[in-house]
Amino acid sequence: MRDDILLGADYLRAGKLVAFPTETVYGLGADARNPEAVKGIFKAKGRPTNHPLIIHLAEAEQMRAWAKTIPETAWQLAEAFWPGPLTLILPRADGVPDVVSGGLDTVALRVPEHPVALELLNAFGGGVAAPSANRYGRVSPTCASDVREELADKVDLILDGGRCRIGIESTIVDLSSSVPRLLRPGSVTEEMLGRVLGNTLVSASKTSMRYPGSSSSHYAPKARVVITACDEVDQRLHEWEQRRVRAGLLSSLFEENISDCRDASGLISEEAQAYALYQALRAADHLGLEVVVAVLPEERGIGCALRDRLLRAAGLG
Ligand code: TXA
Ligand code: MG
């Protein structure tokens, strides 16, 4: 693995694309200082060029190279949650290529926790721009074979670091204006952020500003995702069956085999659901399901992030 990581760092220096594991999902990385390399990311994903990318760093100190100003709250959040699944939006430093930030005057920064990501970042030495390593609008990859399925020959190297521990994308907090705003919920929850920021955080639901790439119909499998109340699941599945539509249930168990797992409903933690979510949505496609019936988890902890992703997968985000 060490040799692969060093090769990855060489590839990044050569302007190539390297997919790598993080604790959230796999990223598709390029040298953030190399506009041509970063353009390759947009091309490989089929992503609109006005959607800004997260720059991954080896340590918090490197924020100084990318952010024009760094509020005290950024250092506090970095101290509390980095390395880890939190992305900070800060005013953009001069010299950051336009293509990375989609022309915005802010940048997104994150120090990931996965050992392979950290080793790659340390070996490379600079910032690595990386969105999730999926085609635009599709489900994020949580293992190396997902990346292969999504991008195949469009990526120069895939570093295989096993399955991602968390399974959904990082929490994004915007610190570029006077009040901190939660732009994307994730496994660093509002409660956890509140312990550092006090009650100053404006939550996602109250934010009128929608982050680029937060359009509805995101994180979507090929199957149609239908959100259903818990007590209507049986009736819904029956309806689809009568119409000869291949439907399956994504219950709170989110098993690989996504049908018939209602009995365990409520017994599995929201963390375990997050870990399994994208694998289950992919499994639905592999099974050739046309419809996935899903029940939203409770709105607490990482459950908020799960609801966000499921609603987007259903095109209701
Ligand atoms: O967990 C993650 O964050 C993963 C791993 C690979 O680090 N990355 C990821 O990247 O989810 P991506 O590109 O799929 O999602 C990043 C989100 C996008 O919705 C983008 O619009 C938002 O971050 N973003 C990036 N820069 C921004 C900025 N300056 N202002 C507001 N939103 C920004
Ligand atoms: Mg993405």
Side-chain angles (χ1 to χ4, degrees), residues 45 47 131-132 134 140 169 184 218-219:
K45 280 186 60 111
R47 174 163 164 145
S132 51
N134 51 279
S140 296
E169 305 80 358
R184 180 172 72 183
H218 224 76
Y219 312 106

Side-chain angles (χ1 to χ4, degrees), residues 23 142 162-168 254 256 269-280 302 306:
E23 69 281 17
T142 52
R163 189 155 161 197
C164 302
R165 180 175 67 77
I166 293 171
I168 58 171
F254 291 127
E256 305 278 305
S269 68
E270 279 85 13
E271 281 74 18
Q273 293 178 45
Y275 179 71
L277 175 64
Y278 290 154
Q279 291 285 325
I302 197 176
L306 274 165

Side-chain angles (χ1 to χ4, degrees), residues 12 58 74 121 228 268 297 307:
L12 290 172
L121 289 163
T228 309
I268 185 167
R307 291 169 70 94

Side-chain angles (χ1 to χ4, degrees), residues 172-245:
I172 304 182
V173 175
D174 185 354
L175 296 175
S176 68
S177 58
S178 52
V179 276
R181 284 169 204 278
L182 180 65
L183 296 190
R184 180 172 72 183
S187 68
V188 174
T189 63
E190 270 192 72
E191 297 91 307
M192 291 160 75
L193 292 165
R195 268 175 242 144
V196 176
L197 296 173
N199 59 5
T200 56
L201 184 73
V202 178
S203 67
S205 52
K206 297 187 194 101
T207 308
S208 59
M209 188 190 122
R210 294 174 58 85
Y211 61 91
S214 72
S215 54
S216 53
S217 189
H218 224 76
Y219 312 106
K222 291 188 196 99
R224 202 177 127 206
V225 177
V226 177
I227 308 289
T228 309
C230 202
D231 54 2
E232 286 172 8
V233 165
D234 286 326
Q235 190 195 329
R236 279 295 163 89
L237 286 172
H238 183 66
E239 281 165 17
W240 294 118
E241 196 183 318
Q242 281 190 323
R243 289 158 60 180
R244 298 189 181 284
V245 172

Side-chain angles (χ1 to χ4, degrees), residues 7-18 31 34 37 124 156:
L7 180 67
D10 284 344
Y11 272 25
L12 290 172
R13 276 186 280 272
K16 295 185 182 182
L17 300 183
V18 177
D31 176 358
N34 180 340
F124 176 62
D156 297 303

